[in-house]
Amino acid sequence: MNWIDFPVIVLITALTWISGLITVLAFSRKTFFRRSGIMLLIAGTLVLGGFIAALWIHLERPPLKTMGETRLWYSFFLALVALAGFLRWNYMVLPATGIPMALLFLLINYAHPENYEKTLMPALQSIWFAPHVIVYMLSYALLGVSSVTAWIGLYRHYQSRFDRQTLYYADNLVYLGFSLLTLGLLFGALWAKEAWGHYWTWDPKETWALLTWLTYLIYIHFRYHQPEKTGISLRILAFSYVILLICYMGLKYLPSAATSVHVYSN
Amino acid sequence: MPLNIYAGFSFVVLLVFLHLFYHRHAFVRWLSGVPAAISSISLYALLVLLLGFIPQKETHAGILSITGLDHLKTSWPFFISQVYILSSLGLVILRRLNHLTMRNVGFFLNHAGLWLVIASGGLGSSDLMRLQIELYEGKPFTNLAHDQVNRYRLPFSLKLNDFILEEYPPRIAFADARTFQIIPEKNVSFIPAEPGKRFPFKEFVLQVDTVLMHALSESIGMKAVPAKDGVPACHITVFRASSVAATGWIACGNRSMHPVILPLNDTIMIALLDPEPRKYQSLLEIINRNDTIPAVLEVNKPIKIRGWQLYQMGYDQMEGRGSQLSIIEAVNDPWLPVVYTGIFMLLAGAVYLFWLGQGNKNKQKQ
């Protein structure tokens, strides 16, 4: 399995996700059809997960080096979070937003194929590599689903049919995502000390990672302090995801970030 | 004179004093409350946002320099913002210490951990030493190190016996013979040079016959030479249908020879791209007190000695595998244990938040 098989994987995953999502959304009661829809969603997610595992074996290194490789994990975790949240809370918004997001990032990957390479530069040959990036990708997925839930909430807020449950679920996801974000940031600091000599050097990636952490921190504290001010909370949450996306994918477009040591792909 | 220790200690004493004797004062009540927390975090976040957008190159001229925007990390607004956070954070920790229950353990780990990291990171930065040492193969022992400003003598000496660089197999690519741009084929731009590998390209198929990681040219082609010498080279055959369109050697270049390319036709050529490093390490000898000990220094595997940590930083990249130079970084960070304590408290606090965060939120549902 390598990148040459990727289009097939995209097709299978996309078809199972889309058909599963439509089935789940169309049948709100727990009937056979809805269970089949859930099965389809799980199947599509497993296919993508299996591809990632096969790629790991084929490349003989964690497939976490390039932007394309981490985006695979992002799609996988987005679908996983959407599914897990849906099975736990029966909240339709989660798969309705999470699965299309997962599909979007999968299609971005399809549109930007990369050359698979078994090479891994010495700086990335560390036991910290996989934990640091995987924890970050799962955290990004949790925060991504919660923030898109916030965008939906804002839309409904403007239509005066806002549901407080939206923020309840968003909060749960943010707490999970934020704790993992903290772990990822600290793993990065501990790894940086082993690899680069210092735990914090204000490298552009580190700076934007800290900024992402701070904006979600502001959200958590604002929710604690003024839980009834839902409009402001939603806006903070929606804004935080923009910062997250800049940190994850936008650095190469920033002139101030050209000299980051975090640029690993050619 | 450890000014930073005195300053830090005085600051803590001031916070404790405010908490113990003025906790009912309006100013202290505000500073130890959530609104101050939100505004202090927001101010800091705003400065970090500016840090993220504005290139930080101090020019000592112009509006960016006067406002501190091009050297934010050492500017007054940044310092004031950190003091603001530490005040707010410190007072809220002291306030919570009055109710030390199991539920507050997570709160304490997260908030006190963060306080330690910010305070010791900031205070410790003046005691941090990051020095560079250039070692050349075979040169005598040296304990000279330098940063951008000064030179220092380390309490141990180093000698470089050998610098070793191992490379991955280089990549083979088809390129435009005039512009030297790589021509991808169905989104594949290159293949690694491994014997037997095939690379379909338009109506051709390239096959890799032999790969030599260390080779030099001879009149009949390339021959293998001992490691550390030579360049990576590769013998390839390009087929069109069942006939041979081209065959021959391709090789990387180095300081003394140009790369060897194989022309396919007037417009397309085949080349071997420079290999990527797989591993590089310095074989050192270290004199510490009266002992001479051998050591191997590698990326991600620093050496700890006499309170210093040595890191493999770089080498002569123009020479590549033949580099006689190894660049080593020596770091001394006396405040590291304090920072690490804070980091591990934050790690524990994050785990706590992951497991119990939902539990706390349930009590605030709706």
Side-chain angles (χ1 to χ4, degrees), chain A residues 234-250:
Chain A
L234 288 170
R235 284 182 186 86
I236 298 175
L237 194 52
F239 174 69
S240 304
Y241 192 47
V242 175
I243 302 291
L244 190 157
L245 286 175
I246 294 178
C247 176
Y248 176 33
M249 297 184 184

Side-chain angles (χ1 to χ4, degrees), chain A residues 149-209:
Chain A
T149 308
W151 290 352
I152 306 255
L154 264 177
Y155 173 70
R156 288 195 184 151
H157 183 78
Y158 281 115
Q159 296 194 319
S160 301
R161 50 186 192 90
F162 173 69
D163 174 16
R164 288 187 163 270
Q165 279 293 93
T166 310
L167 268 181
Y168 168 69
Y169 296 127
D171 280 349
N172 271 291
L173 291 170
V174 168
Y175 268 75
L176 290 172
F178 183 76
S179 46
L180 290 178
L181 195 69
T182 309
L183 288 182
L185 191 65
L186 295 172
F187 286 175
L190 292 170
W191 183 12
K193 180 73 193 159
E194 293 299 293
W196 305 123
H198 197 45
Y199 48 82
W200 193 263
T201 56
W202 293 104
D203 178 85
K205 192 79 170 187
E206 288 173 348
T207 303
W208 281 91

Side-chain angles (χ1 to χ4, degrees), chain A residues 115-133:
Chain A
N115 291 280
Y116 84 90
E117 276 213 282
K118 292 189 184 180
T119 63
L120 194 63
M121 53 282 296
L124 294 180
Q125 294 173 24
S126 162
I127 50 159
W128 289 105
F129 180 40
H132 171 64
V133 187

